[in-house]
Amino acid sequence: QQITKPVKADAALVRTGCPAIDTVLQIEQRKASAQGITMEIVAHGLPENCISPADCNCILGNLLDNAIEAQADVPEGERHIQVSLQQRHDFLVLQVRNSVTENPLGENGKLRTSKKTSPGLHGIGIKSVEVAVGRYEGELSYSFKDGLFSVSALLCVNDMNY
């Protein structure tokens, strides 16, 4: 099963083929919509059990929470998140892009904190994402260009069955 056209944030259901991913996307989609953020989701033929529900919640949930939080500084009408999920051979490729007002990457390519409250808690979500991605012998990368911040995760899902 494939979804190839974008799903807008006011859509009632997301169906990617993987129930764990569908659930997280629906929850995050509602959060984004409530804050006036447009979310576009493109998913290509995902297997039903390509990722454990706990890891899906950790990886996708944290990345989307961060993207939604970053939209607070973006002017209304320019708040936008793009989510792309697809399986390529033995890999699940996940990308979250969102508009930002400034580059969140430091000179070393690492994420800089944008937390104004509870700075001691900054980075716990990303550290959790890194651990979960590591369970799939995966990679996490960040980029920034033309006002768009992008996080990409590559997960090896060969022989995974949850």
Side-chain angles (χ1 to χ4, degrees):
Q1 183 177 1
Q2 250 188 17
I3 298 174
T4 55
K5 70 179 190 181
V7 178
K8 297 299 179 190
D10 58 351
L13 293 175
V14 177
R15 296 200 190 276
T16 65
C18 177
I21 290 173
D22 294 348
T23 300
V24 172
L25 287 174
Q26 288 174 45
I27 290 167
E28 298 297 332
Q29 189 180 53
R30 285 187 190 111
K31 288 182 195 176
S33 182
Q35 296 180 38
I37 301 166
T38 302
M39 184 180 289
E40 182 180 305
I41 301 166
V42 178
H44 297 279
L46 303 180
E48 185 175 342
N49 297 313
C50 62
I51 187 170
S52 79
D55 288 335
C56 178
N57 188 50
C58 177
I59 297 169
L60 192 55
N62 274 304
L63 294 180
L64 287 172
D65 281 344
N66 289 349
I68 290 168
E69 185 178 309
Q71 299 306 288
D73 296 330
V74 175
E76 286 187 36
E78 297 177 29
R79 297 175 181 171
H80 187 74
I81 298 171
Q82 297 171 314
V83 183
S84 171
L85 296 135
Q86 53 188 290
Q87 183 163 0
R88 291 188 189 156
H89 304 287
D90 292 338
F91 296 94
L92 176 63
V93 182
L94 182 156
Q95 185 175 57
V96 176
R97 289 178 152 172
N98 59 278
S99 43
V100 291
T101 55
E102 61 183 57
N103 185 352
L105 300 176
E107 291 179 23
N108 60 2
K110 303 242 182 207
L111 287 173
R112 292 181 289 154
T113 184
S114 61
K115 301 267 189 210
K116 294 168 180 64
T117 59
S118 306
L121 296 178
H122 175 71
I124 291 175
I126 287 297
K127 284 184 177 72
S128 298
V129 170
E130 289 170 351
V131 168
V133 167
R135 280 194 282 275
Y136 294 83
E137 299 177 17
E139 295 180 9
L140 193 63
S141 61
Y142 312 100
S143 64
F144 170 80
K145 185 177 179 182
D146 299 328
L148 283 177
F149 175 66
S150 180
V151 180
S152 297
L154 181 67
L155 311 176
C156 181
V157 294
N158 183 28
D159 298 327
M160 299 287 185
N161 193 11
Y162 296 100

